[in-house]
Amino acid sequence: MVLDMIHFAPSILSADFTQLQKDIDDVQKGGADYLHFDVMDGMFVPAISFGMPVLKCVAGKTELFLDVHLMIVEPERYIEEFIKDGANLVTVHLETLKEPEKVIKQIHALGAKAGLAINPETPAERIRPYLSMIDMALVMCVHPGFGEQAYLSSSDEKIAQIASWIREEDLHVDLEVDGGIKMENVERIAALGANVIVAGSAVFKGDVEENTREFIGKIK
Ligand code: DX5
Ligand code: ZN
């Protein structure tokens, strides 16, 4: 049972890239233990974000656990490179995979943890068969592609459902939530059973260190 350990994962998608080192130092000082890294390819999602060169720089400068969320088609083509460049955990989208089990094994064989994500329109049941093979399930709480969107209330049921499967089957799987998490709803969402909490726009606005501390105060 891993769900008792809470991790906070600021998404650097909303960071100020002209002062990325400072933003990362601030979330670390505020108590974050993960750093969420949103890779977008303009194919699986409309936007393009960043990739290996940024990850490589960040990995060389921080001790934070690097949680890499691949919103890209054919992620199996790039997994090895992301792990080589410092990813501790690689999350791929179930919607992009023809052979999910094979890709999960590929991530593990390369020495990283494996996460599997589902979009808002993908039913929770689709991820269930893979829960015993992965280290983390990721429930997208917005349509992926952009920061600063509103939390979709339909995510509540999915989070609670997956958390109950993890509990009932005593699985060693973390449950991550991503998208629309704010100071006002984080407590309620964590109480549904999520234990890895991603937040982007709500962290990297104003006092980053203080925002991080306040988030963590609400969930730990
Ligand atoms: C959405 C990304 C999220 C995003 C979260 O496509 O996967 O990680 O950065 O941002 P907020 O917290 O602003 O919704
Ligand atoms: Zn993400």
Coordinates of all heavy atoms in Angstrom, one line a residue, residues 60-141:
G60 N 20.6 17.9 -14.3 CA 21.9 18.1 -13.8 C 22.0 19.1 -12.7 O 23.0 19.3 -12.0
K61 N 20.8 19.8 -12.4 CA 20.8 20.9 -11.4 C 19.9 20.6 -10.2 O 19.8 21.5 -9.4 CB 20.4 22.2 -12.1 CG 21.4 22.7 -13.1 CD 22.6 23.4 -12.4 CE 23.7 23.9 -13.4 NZ 23.3 24.9 -14.3
T62 N 19.2 19.5 -10.2 CA 18.3 19.3 -9.0 C 18.3 17.9 -8.6 O 18.5 17.0 -9.3 CB 16.8 19.8 -9.4 OG1 16.0 19.6 -8.3 CG2 16.3 18.9 -10.5
E63 N 17.9 17.7 -7.3 CA 17.8 16.4 -6.7 C 16.3 16.0 -6.7 O 16.0 14.9 -6.3 CB 18.3 16.4 -5.2 CG 19.8 16.7 -5.1 CD 20.7 15.7 -5.9 OE1 20.4 14.5 -5.7 OE2 21.5 16.1 -6.6
L64 N 15.5 16.9 -7.1 CA 14.0 16.5 -7.1 C 13.8 15.3 -8.0 O 14.4 15.1 -9.0 CB 13.2 17.7 -7.6 CG 13.2 18.9 -6.7 CD1 12.4 20.1 -7.3 CD2 12.5 18.6 -5.3
F65 N 12.7 14.5 -7.7 CA 12.3 13.4 -8.5 C 11.7 13.9 -9.7 O 10.7 14.6 -9.7 CB 11.4 12.6 -7.6 CG 10.9 11.3 -8.2 CD1 11.6 10.1 -8.1 CD2 9.7 11.3 -9.0 CE1 11.1 8.9 -8.7 CE2 9.3 10.1 -9.6 CZ 10.0 8.9 -9.4
L66 N 12.2 13.4 -10.9 CA 11.7 14.0 -12.2 C 10.7 13.1 -12.8 O 10.9 12.0 -13.2 CB 12.9 14.2 -13.1 CG 14.0 15.2 -12.6 CD1 15.1 15.3 -13.6 CD2 13.3 16.6 -12.4
D67 N 9.5 13.6 -12.7 CA 8.2 13.0 -13.1 C 7.9 13.5 -14.5 O 7.4 14.6 -14.7 CB 7.2 13.4 -12.0 CG 5.7 13.2 -12.4 OD1 5.5 12.3 -13.3 OD2 4.9 13.9 -11.8
V68 N 8.2 12.7 -15.5 CA 8.1 13.1 -16.9 C 6.8 12.6 -17.5 O 6.6 11.4 -17.6 CB 9.3 12.6 -17.7 CG1 9.1 13.0 -19.2 CG2 10.6 13.3 -17.2
H69 N 5.9 13.5 -17.9 CA 4.6 13.2 -18.5 C 4.6 13.4 -20.0 O 4.7 14.5 -20.5 CB 3.6 14.1 -17.8 CG 2.2 14.0 -18.3 ND1 1.2 14.9 -18.0 CD2 1.6 13.0 -19.0 CE1 0.1 14.6 -18.6 NE2 0.3 13.4 -19.2
L70 N 4.6 12.3 -20.7 CA 4.8 12.4 -22.2 C 3.4 12.4 -22.9 O 2.7 11.4 -22.9 CB 5.5 11.1 -22.7 CG 7.0 11.0 -22.3 CD1 7.6 9.7 -23.0 CD2 7.8 12.2 -22.6
M71 N 3.0 13.6 -23.3 CA 1.8 13.8 -24.1 C 2.2 13.8 -25.6 O 2.1 14.8 -26.3 CB 1.1 15.1 -23.7 CG 0.5 15.0 -22.3 SD 0.1 16.6 -21.6 CE 1.6 17.0 -20.9
I72 N 2.7 12.6 -26.0 CA 3.2 12.5 -27.4 C 2.7 11.2 -28.0 O 2.5 10.2 -27.3 CB 4.7 12.6 -27.4 CG1 5.4 11.4 -26.7 CG2 5.2 13.9 -26.7 CD1 6.9 11.3 -26.8
V73 N 2.6 11.2 -29.3 CA 2.3 10.0 -30.0 C 3.6 9.1 -30.1 O 4.7 9.6 -30.1 CB 1.7 10.2 -31.4 CG1 0.4 10.9 -31.4 CG2 2.7 11.0 -32.3
E74 N 3.4 7.8 -30.2 CA 4.4 6.8 -30.3 C 5.5 7.1 -29.2 O 6.7 7.2 -29.6 CB 5.1 6.8 -31.7 CG 4.1 6.4 -32.8 CD 4.7 6.3 -34.2 OE1 5.9 5.9 -34.3 OE2 4.1 6.8 -35.1
P75 N 5.2 7.2 -28.0 CA 6.2 7.5 -27.0 C 7.3 6.5 -26.9 O 8.4 6.9 -26.5 CB 5.4 7.5 -25.7 CG 4.2 6.7 -25.9 CD 3.9 6.9 -27.4
E76 N 7.1 5.3 -27.3 CA 8.1 4.3 -27.2 C 9.4 4.7 -28.0 O 10.5 4.2 -27.8 CB 7.6 2.9 -27.7 CG 7.0 2.8 -29.1 CD 5.6 3.2 -29.2 OE1 5.1 3.9 -28.3 OE2 4.9 2.8 -30.2
R77 N 9.2 5.6 -29.0 CA 10.4 6.0 -29.8 C 11.4 6.9 -28.9 O 12.5 7.0 -29.3 CB 9.9 6.8 -31.0 CG 9.1 6.0 -32.0 CD 8.5 6.9 -33.0 NE 9.4 7.7 -33.8 CZ 9.1 8.9 -34.3 NH1 7.9 9.5 -34.1 NH2 10.0 9.6 -35.0
Y78 N 10.9 7.5 -27.9 CA 11.7 8.5 -27.2 C 12.0 8.1 -25.7 O 12.7 8.8 -25.0 CB 11.0 9.8 -27.2 CG 10.7 10.3 -28.6 CD1 9.5 10.3 -29.2 CD2 11.8 10.9 -29.3 CE1 9.3 10.7 -30.4 CE2 11.6 11.3 -30.6 CZ 10.3 11.3 -31.2 OH 10.2 11.7 -32.4
I79 N 11.4 7.0 -25.2 CA 11.5 6.7 -23.8 C 13.0 6.5 -23.4 O 13.4 7.1 -22.3 CB 10.7 5.4 -23.5 CG1 9.2 5.7 -23.5 CG2 11.2 4.7 -22.2 CD1 8.3 4.5 -23.5
E80 N 13.8 5.8 -24.2 CA 15.1 5.6 -23.8 C 15.9 6.9 -23.6 O 16.6 7.1 -22.6 CB 15.8 4.7 -24.9 CG 17.2 4.4 -24.5 CD 17.9 3.3 -25.4 OE1 17.2 2.9 -26.3 OE2 19.0 2.9 -25.1
E81 N 15.7 7.8 -24.5 CA 16.4 9.1 -24.5 C 15.9 9.9 -23.2 O 16.8 10.5 -22.5 CB 16.1 9.9 -25.7 CG 17.3 10.7 -26.2 CD 17.0 11.4 -27.5 OE1 16.4 10.7 -28.4 OE2 17.4 12.5 -27.7
F82 N 14.6 9.9 -22.9 CA 14.2 10.7 -21.8 C 14.8 10.1 -20.5 O 15.1 10.8 -19.6 CB 12.7 10.7 -21.7 CG 12.0 11.8 -22.5 CD1 11.4 11.5 -23.7 CD2 12.2 13.1 -22.1 CE1 10.8 12.5 -24.5 CE2 11.6 14.1 -22.9 CZ 10.9 13.8 -24.1
I83 N 14.9 8.8 -20.4 CA 15.5 8.2 -19.2 C 17.0 8.5 -19.1 O 17.5 8.8 -18.1 CB 15.2 6.6 -19.2 CG1 13.6 6.4 -19.0 CG2 15.9 5.9 -18.0 CD1 13.2 5.0 -19.2
K84 N 17.6 8.4 -20.2 CA 19.0 8.7 -20.3 C 19.3 10.2 -19.8 O 20.2 10.5 -19.2 CB 19.6 8.5 -21.7 CG 21.0 8.0 -21.7 CD 21.7 7.9 -23.1 CE 21.0 7.0 -24.0 NZ 21.1 7.4 -25.4
D85 N 18.3 11.0 -20.2 CA 18.5 12.4 -19.9 C 18.0 12.8 -18.4 O 18.0 13.9 -18.1 CB 17.8 13.3 -20.9 CG 18.6 13.3 -22.2 OD1 19.8 13.0 -22.2 OD2 18.0 13.6 -23.3
G86 N 17.6 11.8 -17.7 CA 17.3 12.0 -16.3 C 15.9 11.8 -15.7 O 15.6 12.0 -14.6
A87 N 15.0 11.3 -16.6 CA 13.6 11.0 -16.0 C 13.7 9.8 -15.0 O 14.3 8.8 -15.3 CB 12.7 10.5 -17.2
N88 N 13.1 10.1 -13.8 CA 13.0 9.0 -12.8 C 11.7 8.2 -13.1 O 11.7 7.0 -12.7 CB 13.0 9.6 -11.4 CG 14.2 10.4 -11.1 OD1 14.2 11.6 -11.0 ND2 15.3 9.7 -11.0
L89 N 10.7 8.8 -13.6 CA 9.5 8.2 -13.9 C 9.0 8.7 -15.2 O 9.0 9.9 -15.5 CB 8.5 8.5 -12.8 CG 7.0 7.9 -12.9 CD1 6.5 7.6 -11.5 CD2 6.1 8.8 -13.6
V90 N 8.6 7.8 -16.1 CA 8.0 8.2 -17.4 C 6.6 7.7 -17.4 O 6.3 6.6 -17.3 CB 8.8 7.5 -18.5 CG1 8.2 7.9 -19.9 CG2 10.3 8.0 -18.5
T91 N 5.7 8.7 -17.7 CA 4.3 8.4 -17.8 C 3.9 8.6 -19.3 O 4.2 9.6 -19.9 CB 3.4 9.4 -17.0 OG1 3.7 9.1 -15.6 CG2 1.9 9.1 -17.2
V92 N 3.3 7.5 -19.8 CA 2.8 7.5 -21.2 C 1.3 7.5 -21.2 O 0.7 7.0 -20.2 CB 3.4 6.3 -22.0 CG1 4.8 6.5 -22.2 CG2 3.2 5.0 -21.2
H93 N 0.7 7.9 -22.2 CA -0.8 7.9 -22.3 C -1.3 6.6 -22.9 O -0.9 6.2 -24.0 CB -1.3 9.1 -23.1 CG -1.6 10.3 -22.3 ND1 -2.9 10.6 -21.8 CD2 -0.8 11.2 -21.8 CE1 -2.8 11.7 -21.1 NE2 -1.5 12.1 -21.0
L94 N -2.2 6.0 -22.2 CA -2.8 4.8 -22.7 C -3.4 4.9 -24.1 O -3.3 4.0 -24.9 CB -3.9 4.3 -21.7 CG -4.6 3.0 -21.9 CD1 -3.6 1.9 -22.0 CD2 -5.6 2.7 -20.7
E95 N -4.0 6.1 -24.4 CA -4.6 6.4 -25.7 C -3.6 6.3 -26.8 O -4.0 6.2 -28.0 CB -5.2 7.8 -25.7 CG -6.3 8.0 -24.7 CD -5.8 8.4 -23.3 OE1 -4.6 8.6 -23.1 OE2 -6.6 8.5 -22.3
T96 N -2.3 6.4 -26.5 CA -1.3 6.4 -27.6 C -0.6 5.1 -27.8 O 0.2 4.9 -28.7 CB -0.1 7.4 -27.2 OG1 0.6 6.8 -26.1 CG2 -0.6 8.8 -26.9
L97 N -1.0 4.1 -27.1 CA -0.3 2.8 -27.1 C -1.1 1.6 -27.8 O -2.2 1.4 -27.5 CB 0.0 2.4 -25.6 CG 0.8 3.4 -24.8 CD1 1.0 2.8 -23.4 CD2 2.1 3.7 -25.4
K98 N -0.4 0.9 -28.6 CA -0.9 -0.3 -29.2 C -0.7 -1.4 -28.3 O -1.5 -2.3 -28.2 CB -0.3 -0.5 -30.6 CG -0.8 0.4 -31.7 CD -0.4 -0.1 -33.1 CE -0.6 0.9 -34.1 NZ 0.5 1.9 -34.2
E99 N 0.5 -1.5 -27.7 CA 0.8 -2.6 -26.8 C 1.3 -2.0 -25.4 O 2.5 -2.0 -25.2 CB 1.9 -3.4 -27.4 CG 1.5 -4.1 -28.7 CD 2.6 -4.8 -29.4 OE1 3.5 -4.2 -30.0 OE2 2.7 -6.1 -29.2
P100 N 0.4 -1.6 -24.6 CA 0.8 -1.0 -23.3 C 1.7 -1.8 -22.5 O 2.7 -1.3 -22.0 CB -0.6 -0.8 -22.6 CG -1.6 -0.8 -23.7 CD -1.1 -1.7 -24.8
E101 N 1.5 -3.1 -22.4 CA 2.3 -3.9 -21.6 C 3.8 -3.9 -22.0 O 4.7 -3.8 -21.2 CB 1.8 -5.4 -21.6 CG 2.3 -6.2 -20.4 CD 1.6 -7.5 -20.4 OE1 0.5 -7.7 -20.9 OE2 2.3 -8.4 -19.8
K102 N 4.0 -3.9 -23.3 CA 5.3 -3.9 -23.9 C 6.0 -2.6 -23.5 O 7.2 -2.5 -23.2 CB 5.2 -4.0 -25.4 CG 6.5 -4.4 -26.1 CD 6.1 -4.8 -27.6 CE 7.4 -4.6 -28.4 NZ 7.1 -4.7 -29.8
V103 N 5.3 -1.5 -23.6 CA 5.9 -0.2 -23.3 C 6.2 0.0 -21.8 O 7.3 0.5 -21.4 CB 5.0 1.0 -23.8 CG1 5.6 2.3 -23.5 CG2 4.8 0.8 -25.3
I104 N 5.4 -0.6 -21.0 CA 5.6 -0.5 -19.5 C 6.9 -1.3 -19.2 O 7.8 -0.9 -18.5 CB 4.4 -1.1 -18.8 CG1 3.2 -0.2 -18.9 CG2 4.7 -1.4 -17.3 CD1 1.8 -0.9 -18.6
K105 N 7.0 -2.5 -19.9 CA 8.2 -3.3 -19.7 C 9.5 -2.6 -20.2 O 10.5 -2.7 -19.6 CB 8.1 -4.7 -20.4 CG 7.2 -5.6 -19.6 CD 7.2 -7.0 -20.3 CE 6.3 -7.9 -19.5 NZ 5.6 -8.9 -20.3
Q106 N 9.3 -1.9 -21.3 CA 10.4 -1.1 -21.8 C 10.9 -0.1 -20.8 O 12.1 0.1 -20.6 CB 10.0 -0.4 -23.1 CG 11.0 0.4 -23.8 CD 10.5 1.3 -25.0 OE1 9.3 1.3 -25.2 NE2 11.4 2.0 -25.6
I107 N 10.0 0.7 -20.2 CA 10.4 1.7 -19.2 C 11.1 1.0 -18.1 O 12.2 1.5 -17.6 CB 9.1 2.5 -18.7 CG1 8.5 3.2 -19.9 CG2 9.5 3.4 -17.6 CD1 7.1 3.8 -19.6
H108 N 10.6 -0.1 -17.5 CA 11.2 -0.7 -16.4 C 12.6 -1.3 -16.8 O 13.5 -1.2 -16.0 CB 10.3 -1.9 -15.9 CG 9.1 -1.4 -15.1 ND1 7.9 -2.1 -15.1 CD2 9.0 -0.3 -14.3 CE1 7.1 -1.4 -14.2 NE2 7.7 -0.3 -13.8
A109 N 12.7 -1.8 -17.9 CA 14.0 -2.4 -18.4 C 15.1 -1.3 -18.4 O 16.2 -1.6 -18.3 CB 13.8 -3.1 -19.7
L110 N 14.6 -0.1 -18.7 CA 15.6 1.0 -18.8 C 15.9 1.6 -17.4 O 16.6 2.6 -17.3 CB 15.1 2.0 -19.8 CG 15.1 1.6 -21.2 CD1 14.2 2.4 -22.1 CD2 16.5 1.6 -21.8
G111 N 15.3 1.1 -16.4 CA 15.6 1.5 -15.0 C 14.8 2.6 -14.4 O 15.1 3.2 -13.4
A112 N 13.6 3.0 -15.1 CA 12.8 4.0 -14.6 C 11.5 3.5 -14.1 O 11.1 2.3 -14.3 CB 12.5 5.1 -15.6
K113 N 10.7 4.3 -13.3 CA 9.4 3.9 -12.9 C 8.4 4.2 -14.1 O 8.7 5.1 -14.9 CB 9.0 4.7 -11.7 CG 9.8 4.2 -10.5 CD 9.2 4.7 -9.2 CE 9.9 4.0 -8.1 NZ 9.3 4.4 -6.8
A114 N 7.3 3.4 -14.1 CA 6.4 3.6 -15.3 C 5.1 4.1 -14.8 O 4.5 3.6 -13.9 CB 6.2 2.2 -16.0
G115 N 4.6 5.1 -15.5 CA 3.3 5.6 -15.2 C 2.4 5.5 -16.5 O 2.9 5.5 -17.6
L116 N 1.1 5.4 -16.2 CA 0.1 5.3 -17.3 C -1.0 6.3 -17.1 O -1.5 6.4 -16.0 CB -0.5 3.9 -17.3 CG -1.1 3.4 -18.6 CD1 -0.2 3.5 -19.8 CD2 -1.6 1.9 -18.4
A117 N -1.2 7.1 -18.1 CA -2.2 8.2 -17.9 C -3.4 8.0 -18.8 O -3.4 7.3 -19.8 CB -1.5 9.5 -18.4
I118 N -4.5 8.5 -18.3 CA -5.8 8.5 -19.1 C -6.4 9.9 -19.1 O -6.4 10.6 -18.2 CB -6.8 7.4 -18.6 CG1 -7.1 7.6 -17.1 CG2 -6.4 6.0 -18.9 CD1 -8.3 6.8 -16.6
N119 N -6.9 10.2 -20.3 CA -7.6 11.4 -20.6 C -9.0 11.5 -20.0 O -9.5 10.4 -19.7 CB -7.7 11.6 -22.1 CG -6.4 12.2 -22.7 OD1 -5.6 12.7 -22.0 ND2 -6.3 12.1 -24.0
P120 N -9.6 12.6 -19.9 CA -10.9 12.7 -19.3 C -11.9 11.8 -20.0 O -12.8 11.3 -19.3 CB -11.3 14.2 -19.5 CG -10.0 14.9 -19.5 CD -9.0 14.0 -20.2
E121 N -11.8 11.6 -21.3 CA -12.8 10.8 -22.0 C -12.6 9.3 -21.9 O -13.4 8.5 -22.4 CB -13.1 11.3 -23.4 CG -11.9 11.2 -24.3 CD -10.9 12.5 -24.2 OE1 -11.2 13.3 -23.3 OE2 -10.0 12.5 -25.0
T122 N -11.4 8.9 -21.4 CA -11.1 7.5 -21.3 C -11.6 6.9 -20.0 O -11.3 7.5 -18.9 CB -9.6 7.3 -21.4 OG1 -9.1 7.9 -22.6 CG2 -9.2 5.8 -21.3
P123 N -12.5 5.9 -20.0 CA -13.1 5.4 -18.8 C -12.0 4.8 -17.9 O -11.0 4.2 -18.3 CB -14.1 4.3 -19.2 CG -14.1 4.3 -20.7 CD -13.0 5.2 -21.2
A124 N -12.2 4.8 -16.6 CA -11.3 4.3 -15.6 C -11.1 2.8 -15.8 O -10.0 2.3 -15.6 CB -11.9 4.5 -14.2
E125 N -12.1 2.1 -16.3 CA -12.0 0.6 -16.5 C -10.8 0.3 -17.4 O -10.3 -0.8 -17.3 CB -13.3 0.1 -17.1 CG -14.5 -0.1 -16.1 CD -15.0 1.3 -15.7 OE1 -14.9 2.3 -16.4 OE2 -15.6 1.4 -14.6
R126 N -10.5 1.2 -18.4 CA -9.5 0.9 -19.3 C -8.1 0.8 -18.7 O -7.2 0.1 -19.2 CB -9.4 2.0 -20.4 CG -10.6 2.0 -21.3 CD -10.4 1.7 -22.8 NE -9.0 1.6 -23.3 CZ -8.4 2.4 -24.1 NH1 -9.1 3.5 -24.5 NH2 -7.2 2.2 -24.5
I127 N -7.9 1.4 -17.6 CA -6.6 1.4 -17.0 C -6.4 0.2 -16.0 O -5.3 -0.2 -15.6 CB -6.2 2.7 -16.3 CG1 -4.7 2.9 -16.2 CG2 -6.8 2.9 -14.9 CD1 -4.2 4.3 -15.7
R128 N -7.6 -0.3 -15.6 CA -7.6 -1.3 -14.5 C -6.7 -2.5 -14.8 O -5.9 -2.9 -13.9 CB -9.0 -1.8 -14.2 CG -9.1 -2.6 -13.0 CD -10.5 -2.9 -12.6 NE -10.6 -3.6 -11.3 CZ -11.6 -4.0 -10.7 NH1 -12.8 -3.8 -11.3 NH2 -11.6 -4.6 -9.5
P129 N -6.7 -3.1 -16.0 CA -5.9 -4.3 -16.2 C -4.4 -4.0 -16.0 O -3.6 -5.0 -15.9 CB -6.1 -4.7 -17.7 CG -7.3 -3.9 -18.1 CD -7.4 -2.7 -17.2
Y130 N -4.0 -2.8 -16.1 CA -2.5 -2.4 -16.0 C -2.0 -2.0 -14.6 O -0.9 -1.8 -14.4 CB -2.2 -1.3 -17.0 CG -2.6 -1.7 -18.4 CD1 -3.8 -1.2 -19.0 CD2 -2.0 -2.7 -19.2 CE1 -4.2 -1.5 -20.2 CE2 -2.4 -3.1 -20.4 CZ -3.5 -2.5 -20.9 OH -4.0 -2.9 -22.2
L131 N -3.0 -1.9 -13.7 CA -2.6 -1.3 -12.4 C -1.5 -2.2 -11.7 O -0.7 -1.6 -10.9 CB -3.8 -1.2 -11.5 CG -4.8 -0.1 -11.9 CD1 -6.0 -0.1 -11.0 CD2 -4.1 1.3 -11.9
S132 N -1.6 -3.5 -11.9 CA -0.6 -4.3 -11.2 C 0.8 -4.3 -11.9 O 1.7 -4.8 -11.3 CB -1.1 -5.8 -11.2 OG -1.2 -6.2 -12.5
M133 N 0.9 -3.6 -13.0 CA 2.2 -3.6 -13.8 C 2.9 -2.3 -13.7 O 4.0 -2.1 -14.0 CB 1.9 -3.8 -15.3 CG 1.2 -5.1 -15.6 SD 0.8 -5.0 -17.4 CE -0.6 -6.1 -17.4
I134 N 2.2 -1.2 -13.2 CA 2.7 0.1 -13.3 C 3.1 0.6 -11.9 O 2.6 0.1 -10.8 CB 1.8 1.1 -14.0 CG1 0.4 1.2 -13.3 CG2 1.6 0.7 -15.4 CD1 -0.6 2.1 -13.9
D135 N 3.8 1.7 -11.8 CA 4.1 2.4 -10.5 C 3.2 3.5 -10.2 O 3.0 3.9 -9.1 CB 5.6 2.9 -10.6 CG 6.6 1.8 -10.9 OD1 6.8 1.0 -10.0 OD2 7.0 1.7 -12.1
M136 N 2.6 4.1 -11.3 CA 1.7 5.2 -11.0 C 0.6 5.3 -12.1 O 0.9 5.1 -13.3 CB 2.5 6.5 -11.1 CG 1.8 7.7 -10.6 SD 2.8 9.2 -10.6 CE 2.8 9.6 -12.3
A137 N -0.6 5.6 -11.7 CA -1.7 5.8 -12.6 C -1.9 7.3 -12.6 O -1.9 8.0 -11.5 CB -3.0 5.1 -12.2
L138 N -2.1 7.9 -13.7 CA -2.4 9.4 -13.8 C -3.7 9.7 -14.4 O -4.0 9.3 -15.5 CB -1.3 10.0 -14.7 CG -1.5 11.5 -15.2 CD1 -1.8 12.4 -14.1 CD2 -0.2 12.0 -15.9
V139 N -4.6 10.3 -13.6 CA -5.9 10.8 -14.1 C -5.8 12.2 -14.5 O -5.5 13.1 -13.7 CB -6.9 10.6 -12.9 CG1 -8.3 11.2 -13.4 CG2 -7.1 9.1 -12.6
M140 N -6.0 12.4 -15.8 CA -6.0 13.8 -16.3 C -7.3 14.4 -15.9 O -8.4 13.9 -16.2 CB -5.9 13.8 -17.8 CG -4.5 13.6 -18.4 SD -3.2 14.7 -17.6 CE -3.8 16.4 -18.0
C141 N -7.2 15.6 -15.3 CA -8.5 16.3 -14.8 C -8.8 17.4 -15.6 O -9.7 18.2 -15.3 CB -8.2 16.7 -13.3 SG -7.7 15.4 -12.3

